[in-house]
Amino acid sequence: MPQIAQMSETFASQLFWLLLVFGILFFVIGKGMVPKVMDTVGLRDKQIADDLGAAQAARDAADAEEEAWRARENANRASAQALVGEAKAKAQATTEARLAEVQAGIDARLAEAEARIAASRDAAAGEIEAVAADAAKDIVSRFAGVNVDQTAALGAVKKAMAHG
């Protein structure tokens, strides 16, 4: 076989060129390009780590700001509730004062009305007693034939009305 025979003659030359090409590839890629790629990967990893650190710092700042906002909102809410409570108390005091004023007016009108009713009742009772005295005087003079004066008839009527 001539190929095998030729192979032994060119084997050393092919081995030399093979080693030379792999050596050049090793030094160009392994010593030249790989360190640059690794530096780029390292820079990228560092950039990612820095971005994650900045994001965490921003998240922490946002959480702190949110807590401060919640504290302010709670304080504002408490202040508003205090103002509402004061307004309610003031309105209740005003309402109670107005109710007391109105109640005093109603009580005064009621007392006045009761006084008028009592006066009317007393006047009516007096008129009833006068009419009853006149009727008793007329009845006694018709049946007994005795004349009774007005004061005696009025006294008898008052005495009878007092006993029921």
Side-chain angles (χ1 to χ4, degrees):
M1 274 192 114
Q3 292 94 0
I4 295 177
Q6 248 184 352
M7 188 172 170
S8 62
E9 294 173 5
T10 60
F11 179 73
S13 170
Q14 287 177 351
L15 183 62
F16 168 76
W17 286 110
L18 180 68
L19 289 176
L20 181 67
V21 169
F22 278 131
I24 290 171
L25 286 175
F26 173 76
F27 282 107
V28 169
I29 292 176
K31 297 292 184 180
M33 291 177 71
V34 170
K36 289 180 185 177
V37 170
M38 294 306 291
D39 289 343
T40 303
V41 170
L43 287 173
R44 187 172 177 194
D45 287 344
K46 183 182 178 298
Q47 183 66 34
I48 290 171
D50 291 345
D51 289 347
L52 288 175
Q56 186 61 40
R59 177 180 286 146
D60 292 343
D63 288 344
E65 184 64 31
E66 182 183 7
E67 285 300 318
W69 175 81
R70 285 182 193 271
R72 283 192 314 270
E73 283 300 309
N74 288 339
N76 289 341
R77 188 175 296 115
S79 174
Q81 287 176 347
L83 288 174
V84 167
E86 289 176 17
K88 280 183 181 179
K90 191 181 288 184
Q92 186 176 3
T94 303
T95 302
E96 286 176 0
R98 178 73 178 132
L99 284 175
E101 179 182 322
V102 169
Q103 187 64 41
I106 290 171
D107 290 345
R109 287 176 57 191
L110 183 62
E112 181 182 307
E114 286 176 350
R116 281 194 315 250
I117 290 170
S120 296
R121 185 178 50 236
D122 291 344
E127 287 179 21
I128 290 172
E129 287 175 358
V131 169
D134 285 340
K137 180 178 159 187
D138 287 343
I139 290 172
V140 168
S141 77
R142 278 190 191 168
F143 287 119
V146 179
N147 278 339
V148 179
D149 65 345
Q150 184 69 23
T151 57
L154 193 59
V157 168
K158 283 186 180 183
K159 185 177 180 184
M161 287 183 79
H163 288 6

